[in-house]
Amino acid sequence: MRKSLLLLSCFLLALVASFFLSPKPGVQIIRMIFDKGAATASAKLEKHLTAWVASSTHQYDPSDTDAFLDIYIGPETDPELPTVVWVHGGGFVSGQRRDIANYMMILAGQGFAVVNVDYTIAPGATYPTPVRQINQALAFLAESGAQLGINADRFVLAGDSAGAQIAAQLATVTTNPDYAQTVGIDPKISSAALAGALLFCGVYDVGSMGQGGGILGRFVHVTGWAYSGSRNWRDDPVFATMSVLAETTAAFPPAFISAGNADPLAPQSAALAKALLDNGVSVQTLFFEPDYAPLLGHEYQFDVDTKAGQQALEGAVAWLRSL
């Protein structure tokens, strides 16, 4: 009995110590929670898959084993509409393109060619690897558009949560040469080929996140540590370049920005909208009053059984058609 208690105590001490020595234990917990939520959200969308949509899978970088994307094209896809390139969320440490496949097919059923892109999640790769990967995906799509059956002249960078950050950052890299040089990424498409940015529930000023402590603070610390590769990521000048609020310019493409009223990241979306509007960028927002009920949490848009989820889908589709 005493030996068992000693072994248990040693195991618990080792587990606690691991949280201070590596982000991996925290990452595993986050992945379990996020993966379960993603599976539930995906299952709820199945009954909405009413339109036939063809899909194809491609490796956008032959040298990268994580560099795959799916393309969805419906029977009424309009070749004149922009191609939507969506980057999935997951706090930079979880998620994969199949998590949002049903939502992508619903969007494709509205007449758009939709591209669902995978990237390497942390700590398997650190910042700015995912931004480089999505940039490479754009190069592949631009070069192979005719064969792929997509509009390779006009792209909309889209994303949710961490994916929205990656999409917004790549849009900033593509439209701000000085910032591109700072980040060290050479844009693979011209700013003229970037028709818009469709952003749900993203984070755009990582330095201000999680400073109040609590569960959110712990989550931000783990993900920041994993994505940056540094435990003291708040002091890392390279990692600080992922914040885009001060780097957007008038050349940033038209944007659709939304977040729920109970989403802890909602202030980030509001701040990006303001920064873009201050620069004279065309911005359409979908925000909700504080007393809106039911409360809308993070990634509310994926629940199209709700009035707000339907409003988000319809609003995004109308905005995309207007570009």
Side-chain angles (χ1 to χ4, degrees), residues 66-90:
D66 291 329
F68 285 88
L69 56 79
D70 295 328
I71 299 177
Y72 305 101
I73 297 177
E76 298 182 5
T77 295
D78 185 343
E80 297 302 315
L81 290 174
T83 298
V84 179
V85 181
W86 196 295
V87 189
H88 70 76

Side-chain angles (χ1 to χ4, degrees), residues 270-289:
L272 178 62
K274 182 180 185 305
L276 294 178
L277 287 169
D278 288 346
N279 281 320
V281 176
S282 174
V283 180
Q284 182 172 327
T285 61
L286 178 57
F287 298 133
F288 300 84
E289 295 297 327

Side-chain angles (χ1 to χ4, degrees), residues 39-300:
T40 300
S42 178
K44 290 182 65 177
L45 290 169
E46 288 182 0
K47 61 179 175 291
H48 297 281
L49 299 175
T50 56
W52 177 86
V53 173
S55 66
S56 59
T57 299
H58 308 268
Q59 187 171 12
Y60 60 83
D61 184 347
S63 66
D64 186 344
T65 56
D66 291 329
F68 285 88
L69 56 79
D70 295 328
I71 299 177
Y72 305 101
I73 297 177
E76 298 182 5
T77 295
D78 185 343
E80 297 302 315
L81 290 174
T83 298
V84 179
V85 181
W86 196 295
V87 189
H88 70 76
F92 305 103
V93 300
S94 69
Q96 49 198 323
R97 69 188 191 280
R98 72 180 183 190
D99 294 339
I100 59 171
N102 285 342
Y103 195 81
M104 297 300 98
M105 286 188 279
I106 291 171
L107 191 58
Q110 297 294 317
F112 305 96
V114 179
V115 182
N116 186 8
V117 191
D118 253 342
Y119 55 92
T120 307
I121 56 177
T126 55
Y127 172 80
T129 298
V131 187
R132 295 185 188 279
Q133 289 173 306
I134 306 307
N135 191 41
Q136 187 59 41
L138 290 180
F140 169 78
L141 294 168
E143 293 168 1
S144 308
Q147 300 95 304
L148 298 172
I150 65 171
N151 184 345
D153 295 321
R154 301 176 69 227
F155 294 104
V156 170
L157 278 170
D160 60 283
S161 193
Q165 188 284 326
I166 295 168
Q169 184 173 10
L170 186 53
T172 308
V173 164
T174 304
T175 56
N176 183 343
D178 291 338
Y179 179 64
Q181 185 173 14
T182 297
V183 179
I185 296 178
D186 181 25
K188 297 298 185 181
I189 63 170
S190 69
S191 58
L194 192 53
L198 175 60
L199 308 169
F200 284 100
C201 311
V203 52
Y204 311 106
D205 180 14
V206 70
S208 66
M209 286 293 299
Q211 294 182 328
I215 295 176
L216 179 60
R218 183 61 193 169
F219 166 80
V220 172
H221 175 67
V222 169
T223 56
W225 186 357
Y227 192 35
S228 69
S230 171
R231 186 166 186 242
N232 299 316
W233 56 270
R234 290 189 186 276
D235 301 322
D236 185 340
V238 173
F239 194 58
T241 64
M242 71 179 288
S243 296
V244 300
L245 290 184
E247 307 296 343
T248 59
T249 68
F252 196 94
F256 182 103
I257 301 173
S258 183
N261 62 344
D263 185 346
L265 297 185
Q268 297 266 329
S269 291
L272 178 62
K274 182 180 185 305
L276 294 178
L277 287 169
D278 288 346
N279 281 320
V281 176
S282 174
V283 180
Q284 182 172 327
T285 61
L286 178 57
F287 298 133
F288 300 84
E289 295 297 327
D291 60 351
Y292 182 94
L295 293 175
L296 304 173
H298 191 58
E299 302 275 45
Y300 83 95

